Amino acid sequence: MRLLNDEPRAMDLRTVPVHLGLGSTAKPVEGFTWDPESLRAYSAAVAADGAEGRMVMIFDGDGPGDHWERHPAGDELVVCLSGSVTVTRDVDGVTDRVPLGPGEAVVNPAGVWHAVDMEGPSSILAVTAGLGTDHRPRTDPGPTGHAGTPDPEEAP
C-alpha cells in the first residue's frame, strides 16, 4: 500500500481509494485492501493529516451491512450512486433510518454508530474521516454504546 503523488490515468474508486489530506491534496492509495496490515499501513502513511484526512471510496453491495461503525474524528458523507440504500444510525439511543436513492446523500455526524443496508444491487460513495474508526459486528438490531458515550469495554 502506498500513496501516489501523481496518477495520470483514470482510477476506479472501488479498488483505488483517494486520500484527501492537508493542503487540499488528493492522493490515490495504491494497493489498499481491507486487511489489518493494509489498514495499519494506510493509517501510518496519513497520520500527519490527523482528523482532517478523509478517504474517498465507492462500495458496491447487495443486502444488509454486516457491521456497525463510527468515526470519532469527523463526519462522514454517504452518497447513493445507484440502487436503494438505507443508512441506520443510533442517535443518542434512538434509531434513525435514512433511505437514499440515486443522487441522495446523508451526513453521519462524528461519533454516531451507523450501518448501511443495500436493498438490491447498489453503490455508494463514502467520504470518511477514518482516524480512530471503530467497527462492531452487527449481531443485534442496534449498536453497542451510544454516540459520545464511552464503551465500558474500552474504559481504561
Side-chain angles (χ1 to χ4, degrees), residues 29-131:
V29 185
E30 183 180 68
F32 180 83
T33 57
W34 289 104
D35 64 80
E37 181 179 325
S38 184
L39 286 166
R40 277 191 297 277
Y42 171 73
S43 293
V46 301
D49 292 339
E52 299 305 313
R54 297 289 185 271
M55 177 183 272
V56 179
M57 191 166 199
I58 292 176
F59 298 91
D60 298 319
D62 182 358
D66 64 354
H67 67 278
W68 293 96
E69 64 181 23
R70 65 179 171 182
H71 312 288
D75 298 342
E76 174 185 55
L77 175 68
V78 176
V79 182
C80 179
L81 300 176
S82 66
S84 179
V85 174
T86 299
V87 177
T88 301
R89 305 183 297 187
D90 177 21
V91 181
D92 296 326
V94 176
T95 300
D96 175 35
R97 288 184 177 81
V98 182
L100 302 175
E104 296 180 321
V106 68
V107 173
N108 291 318
V112 170
W113 284 103
H114 58 278
V116 177
D117 298 319
M118 298 180 170
E119 296 139 25
S122 302
S123 294
I124 61 169
L125 174 106
V127 181
T128 306
L131 183 68

